[in-house]
Amino acid sequence: MWKILLALLCGFFVGKIGQNSSFLRRVGRVFTTGGLLFLLFAMGVRLGMDESIRQEFPRFGSLALGCAFASGVGAAVLANVFERLLGRRTKR
Amino acid sequence: MIAIFVSLFSGFLCGFLHLLPASFSWYLDSMVDGALLVLVFGVGMELASNDEAFRETKRIGFEIFLLPLVAMRGSLLRALGVAVFSSLRVTESLSVASGFGWYSLSGVLLARLGNPSLGLLAFMTNVFREIITLFGVGWVYRVLGGWAAVALGGATSMDTTLGLLSRISEGRLVPLGVTSGVVHSLFVPICIALFSRFL
């Protein structure tokens, strides 16, 4: 976790140094998009290669999807209720 | 959105059909670590030129730390509901949901503390949660707002989904996402250890 926070901090300082540089802003965007797409690709590779996941998918797939959906929705809905209660709707 | 789907699907096909050289899978973990750092570095660079993000953080104040606690509570409450309508016991359902999207850690921990099947279920559940977040975060942001979008990602809001959060909110949600991700990540091993004691 500390590596991630350190990378964020380093990126922030580099960004601050070249705050007015449109080139650096573009580089930041390329890093973000490229990093994300590679992470997704790697995640797909892992899932595709994992024999146990493919074998157990018929047994666990729908249950896992249900759990994932329920926990995600639960978090989002309660966060929304909390945001409304505090009256701090994030500007969109 | 299309790029996300294409990346994930082409990765799956490459892994499934063994299209990549063996050396790729040997170095996969290191490459993932590297890509994650590059992504977060890029988010940091984008954040530096965005004063709005800091104004937003100032406006939210101390409650920035309450959001992840509320989100975790929401996840666990819904997990209780899953236990009612499925074959899972309450403690199993809570343990699985305690991954908060961190699939690698939750799968390994539950396989060790609970049983291998539960570890696999936790892994798949949290992989699905990340995929749901990647495809649904934009919609949730438009319909339910920024806090809900951050909460949806759980522990991933400080890494994989941070780039998307930054993109959809023009950087405003980055501090909130990082804080939420860190707090979620700290609670993953604690919650899993706690619930798995009652398995």
Side-chain angles (χ1 to χ4, degrees):
Chain A
M1 187 193 295
W2 64 269
K3 275 187 196 169
I4 291 177
L5 295 177
L6 193 65
L8 185 73
L9 218 60
C10 288
F12 182 78
F13 281 122
V14 171
K16 270 286 171 211
I17 290 166
Q19 201 166 13
N20 299 322
S21 158
S22 61
F23 171 73
L24 275 183
R25 264 202 296 276
R26 270 205 309 276
V27 170
R29 207 153 242 264
V30 168
F31 279 3
T32 314
T33 310
L36 176 67
L37 294 182
F38 181 79
L39 283 176
L40 293 174
F41 179 79
M43 186 182 178
V45 172
R46 273 185 181 157
L47 292 177
M49 285 194 314
D50 200 320
E51 196 78 33
S52 59
I53 290 179
R54 290 206 306 271
Q55 278 173 356
E56 297 289 349
F57 193 80
R59 199 170 128 215
F60 285 145
S62 55
L63 187 56
L65 191 59
C67 284
F69 190 75
S71 60
V73 167
V77 168
L78 212 62
N80 173 255
V81 170
F82 185 61
E83 190 179 2
R84 281 170 191 272
L85 280 177
L86 292 176
R88 292 194 164 174
R89 186 95 169 144
T90 315
K91 270 195 288 177
R92 274 174 287 156
Chain B
M1 181 69 85
I2 293 168
I4 289 173
F5 179 78
V6 169
S7 296
L8 194 63
F9 189 69
S10 58
F12 183 82
L13 274 185
C14 288
F16 184 67
L17 301 172
H18 301 286
L19 295 178
L20 297 167
S23 56
F24 186 85
S25 54
W26 296 339
Y27 298 113
L28 191 59
D29 283 341
S30 318
M31 287 192 280
V32 165
D33 287 347
L36 189 57
L37 295 181
V38 167
L39 182 148
V40 175
F41 186 86
V43 171
M45 284 174 80
E46 289 188 278
L47 182 65
S49 53
N50 189 337
D51 297 331
E52 183 68 26
F54 295 101
R55 275 199 291 274
E56 187 76 25
T57 312
K58 219 171 174 181
R59 198 171 66 88
I60 296 171
F62 177 72
E63 284 138 15
I64 198 169
F65 293 102
L66 294 180
L67 165 71
L69 300 178
V70 168
M72 284 187 270
R73 195 172 157 187
S75 290
L76 296 175
L77 278 176
R78 280 294 181 123
L80 283 177
V82 171
V84 173
F85 294 105
S86 72
S87 56
L88 287 176
R89 286 187 294 143
V90 169
T91 47
E92 287 175 336
S93 181
L94 288 174
S95 305
V96 166
S98 295
F100 304 124
W102 192 353
Y103 59 85
S104 51
L105 181 70
S106 60
V108 171
L109 265 183
L110 265 179
R112 201 171 291 170
L113 297 172
N115 61 59
S117 298
L118 205 59
L120 188 61
L121 178 65
F123 179 85
M124 286 165 77
T125 297
N126 289 294
V127 165
F128 279 136
R129 179 157 176 188
E130 186 167 327
I131 293 172
I132 288 170
T133 304
L134 291 167
F135 287 102
V137 71
W139 183 80
V140 169
Y141 179 66
R142 284 193 300 277
V143 175
L144 295 175
W147 287 32
V150 172
L152 180 68
T156 67
S157 63
M158 70 177 280
D159 45 60
T160 324
T161 50
L162 187 63
L164 277 178
L165 285 172
S166 171
R167 193 63 43 89
I168 58 172
S169 67
E170 288 162 7
R172 281 196 299 269
L173 290 177
V174 170
L176 191 60
V178 172
T179 310
S180 177
V182 169
V183 176
H184 269 95
S185 302
L186 291 174
F187 273 85
V188 169
I190 296 171
C191 289
I192 289 181
L194 178 72
F195 295 127
S196 62
R197 287 183 71 180
F198 303 104
L199 287 172

